[in-house]
């Protein structure tokens, strides 16, 4: 499979060979959904703590006698049915949200996403992308010059190695994210409108997923 290799002006200068096993997969929506949900679930931290009926502060005195009042029976004010009572199934800090996804499934899902990006012309390859100084304006001008920042609502830049100037220049841009090839995740690939990947990073991605 051939991918477009863009020049500094964002014009197709030539093509670069890409493996069909990575960029020529069929679109598998159920698999992509499973991979994305699992990635988001595994990133969750169990930081919620609620109290059950034995942990809330309450009196052990029976609110009223069992019979003769005309009201429903009540034993303690800690009942989950009462205001201020404990939760029936409280959230605990040791709650586990992890989803199990096999390595083969994860790689197949990533390849399916990349293949769909290539088919929709949302994936572009460049030789390299750098800025001379950690200035946001320099990165914006470079992306605009390549006709990326103006036409896309968001851009994901994948590089082979994290350039400090490039990373610092992108921090103030809410719709631009710079990541290394090894840190590209399915959620970012699905979320961003355009994906700009350098030629060395493309080789790394094919080596990891091929």
């Amino acid at each position: 499979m051939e991918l477009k290799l863009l020049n500094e002006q964002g014009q197709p200068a030539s093509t670069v060979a890409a493996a069909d096993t990575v960029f020529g997969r069929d679109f598998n929506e159920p698999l992509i959904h499973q991979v994305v949900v699992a990635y988001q679930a595994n990133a969750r931290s169990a930081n919620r703590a609620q109290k059950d009926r034995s942990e809330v502060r309450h009196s052990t005195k029976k609110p009223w006698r069992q019979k003769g009042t005309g009201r429903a029976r009540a034993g303690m004010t800690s009942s989950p049915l009462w205001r201020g009572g404990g939760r029936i199934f409280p959230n605990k800090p040791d709650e586990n949200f992890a989803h199990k996804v096999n390595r083969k499934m994860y790689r197949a899902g990533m390849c399916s996403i990349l293949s769909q990006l290539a088919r929709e012309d949302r994936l572009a390859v460049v030789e390299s992308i750098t800025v001379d100084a950690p200035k946001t304006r320099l990165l914006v001008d470079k992306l605009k010059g390549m006709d990326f920042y103006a036409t896309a609502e968001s851009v994901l830049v994948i590089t082979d190695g994290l350039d400090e100037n490039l990373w610092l220049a992108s921090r103030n841009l809410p719709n631009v994210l710079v990541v290394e090839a090894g840190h590209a995740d399915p959620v970012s690939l699905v979320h961003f409108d355009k994906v700009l990947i350098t030629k060395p990073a493309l080789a790394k991605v094919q080596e990891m997923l091929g």
Side-chain angles (χ1 to χ4, degrees), residues 18-92:
D20 291 336
T21 56
V22 179
F23 294 94
R25 294 285 190 97
D26 294 332
F27 182 68
N28 191 339
E29 185 176 358
L31 177 60
I32 293 176
H33 179 268
Q34 184 176 355
V35 169
V36 169
V37 170
Y39 186 88
Q40 292 176 322
N42 294 338
R44 292 184 64 177
S45 59
N47 52 8
R48 300 179 300 175
Q50 297 171 325
K51 296 179 180 180
D52 59 18
R53 64 183 303 164
S54 66
E55 296 170 330
V56 295
R57 185 176 180 180
H58 67 95
S59 172
T60 58
K61 181 183 177 182
K62 188 174 177 64
W64 49 76
R65 65 180 188 267
Q66 183 80 349
K67 295 179 178 294
T69 64
R71 289 180 288 187
R73 293 171 292 184
M76 287 185 182
T77 58
S78 63
S79 170
L81 306 179
W82 280 54
R83 180 182 177 89
R87 292 293 297 267
I88 298 177
F89 299 109
N91 300 115
K92 294 297 183 181

Side-chain angles (χ1 to χ4, degrees), residues 158-161 179-185 197 200-202 204-205 208:
I158 304 177
T159 61
D160 57 322
V179 296
E180 294 184 45
H183 295 160
D185 59 88
I197 184 171
L202 179 65
K204 282 189 176 182
V205 169
M208 292 185 299

Side-chain angles (χ1 to χ4, degrees), residues 69-137:
T69 64
R71 289 180 288 187
R73 293 171 292 184
M76 287 185 182
T77 58
S78 63
S79 170
L81 306 179
W82 280 54
R83 180 182 177 89
R87 292 293 297 267
I88 298 177
F89 299 109
N91 300 115
K92 294 297 183 181
D94 57 351
E95 192 170 358
N96 184 15
F97 298 103
H99 286 200
K100 177 70 168 64
V101 175
N102 296 332
R103 186 179 304 174
K104 188 176 181 180
M105 293 175 58
Y106 181 82
R107 290 179 177 177
M110 290 285 289
C111 293
S112 183
I113 296 174
L114 292 171
S115 301
Q116 187 65 18
L117 290 174
R119 278 191 293 269
E120 294 178 356
D121 202 20
R122 294 167 53 194
L123 177 70
V125 185
V126 291
E127 286 287 349
S128 63
I129 178 169
T130 57
V131 290
D132 298 330
K135 300 290 186 180
T136 303
R137 175 53 56 185

